[in-house]
Amino acid sequence: MSDWYRDFANSGVGGTLTKQLGLPRPAVLRRYEPGEPLLPGPAVIGSAEEGRLREQLSSVLKDAGVSVLSPVAADGSGDGEKLAAVLLDATGLTGPADLAAVHDFLAPALKRLRPSARVLVLADPPSAAPSPAEAAARQALDGLVRSIGKELRNGATANLIYVPAGAEGSIASPVRFFLSGRSAYVDGQTVTLAGADVPAGEDDDKPLAGKVAVVTGAARGIGASIARVMARDGAHVVAVDIPMAGQSLADVANEIGGTAFQLDITAADAAPRLIEHLRERHAGVDIVVHNAGITRDKLLVNMDAERWNSVMAVNLQAQLDITQALLDADGVLKAGARIVCVTSQSGISGNRGQTNYSASKAGIIGMVRAWAPTFAQRGATINAVAPGFIVTEMTAKMPFGTREVGSRLNSMQQGGLPVDVAETIAWLSQPGSAGVNGQVVRVCGQSLIGA
Ligand SMILES: NC(=O)c1ccc[n+]([C@@H]2O[C@H](COP(=O)([O-])OP(=O)(O)OC[C@H]3O[C@@H](n4cnc5c(N)ncnc54)[C@H](O)[C@@H]3O)[C@@H](O)[C@H]2O)c1
């Protein structure tokens, strides 16, 4: 599904016309292609004060073959090469006065960005600050990064990683994700890391090699895209969907060399059947992606119980029941397991006509946060991904005006693609993402709705 307006705005005549009329000019985003370098150009690394992550950041970039230039001088002098990424180690901040150094580093560097550049700030979390002044400086970065995300154009993104003391060993996988084309539609996000046992030497092309991954709702849409990306990254995918979607489910499974498993996740015996299948056919499971979801929209005053109950059953209760059953089933959930739950921007912002859907999706966020410590104890993780406006067959059927407004009201001025959601889920599923737990990552191009 092509974005006709983006293509027009990037054509010769369209480019001139949209500029003259002051219309949005959505960029063609840099998306991940296996085998391509992490970044298409050099990076700079700055540190606000005495940051403790600088050396580690340098080695992550060095391992990925990225050339690191010296920071651009405040007057803009120095090496004029365009930058593919600007990284700031802001872990040394002690109070608001230190933020001047943040400004001094970022302002000239941001003048030199290439298309689809990445701005990434790493800092200590405000919650663990020893003083209100330090908490203020750390929290200030959140507002700063979100604003930078809104100022950047040309497909560039800005994101923030909070790194508490003891979580330094967890940074490589998130840093690589936010710099890469995998995060093309992830903008203005904050992720807080935890300390974890992170395995060394991950294969960047096949990070999920040898893993068994269940993806629910895999017969079409975002779920099919998740299944394809997981398989591309090396996983054996058990694609789950309702029997009515059996043919398209089989098509997806065959295409990616996976297994099709017909299952209504709300059936009373859904969890035991899935567990039996995983135990017998795959000797357990490493990754579970709870993607299946439905909408039954109506204003609350007109909503019948069927609409309410069916949405709760598919979107929330099934995720709870299957996850609990997996935790209880001896030896099925393998060491270092990853659970990724698909929620929605509507679960964060609320949406007219979607009280049932928004409640179910907000419930997922509560569930993920509550379960994170339990999963951490098992060396596992549970996270949520919240898509914003994603271009699917469903959104293609929306009336023109509604679709255009919905898809342009974000920093990228375009809708995301199912693959953008899939890439984020695949990243959270990697062994190297062990330090990302209990997080909610929006894949919404920094949507203005609920931002
Ligand atoms: N499309 C978007 O813009 C968007 C935005 C935010 C969140 N989401 C979420 O992303 C997920 C996927 O959305 P999509 O747009 O691809 O939807 P979709 O309707 O195209 O696909 C959902 C799939 O889930 C399956 N499913 C439904 N009930 C099931 C059940 N009881 N058991 C097993 N499978 C079942 C369906 O058969 C279908 O194949 C959903 O959780 C949705 O809420 C989508």
Side-chain angles (χ1 to χ4, degrees), residues 267-286:
D269 61 351
R273 274 190 59 210
L274 180 62
I275 285 170
E276 188 191 327
H277 176 86
L278 292 171
R279 205 195 287 277
E280 287 181 3
R281 297 280 294 277
H282 305 284
V285 66
D286 302 279

Side-chain angles (χ1 to χ4, degrees), residues 216-224 240-242 245 263-267 290-295 314-315 319 342-346 357 361 385-392 394-395 421:
T216 69
R220 66 176 201 193
I222 295 173
V240 172
D241 213 300
I242 49 173
L263 182 76
D264 178 342
I265 56 167
T266 63
H290 291 298
N291 161 78
I294 58 169
T295 50
V314 178
N315 293 7
Q319 293 201 17
V342 179
T343 171
S344 167
Q345 174 176 290
S346 302
Y357 183 77
K361 294 294 189 181
V385 167
F389 189 99
I390 303 299
V391 181
T392 57
M394 182 184 81
T395 52
V421 181

Side-chain angles (χ1 to χ4, degrees), residues 38-39 41-45 54-69 85-87 120 172 175-176 179:
L38 183 70
L39 285 171
V44 288
I45 304 176
R54 209 196 148 90
E55 265 178 40
Q56 249 179 296
L57 282 174
S58 301
S59 81
V60 172
L61 295 193
K62 192 167 156 243
D63 290 351
V66 175
S67 86
V68 179
L69 306 181
V86 173
L87 292 97
L120 189 57
V175 167
R176 281 203 307 269
L179 297 184

Side-chain angles (χ1 to χ4, degrees), residues 393-416:
E393 273 152 41
M394 182 184 81
T395 52
K397 284 186 196 132
M398 288 166 107
F400 175 80
T402 320
R403 188 180 68 232
E404 277 305 299
V405 171
S407 65
R408 305 286 165 213
L409 282 183
N410 57 71
S411 295
M412 315 308 276
Q413 302 172 319
Q414 59 192 288

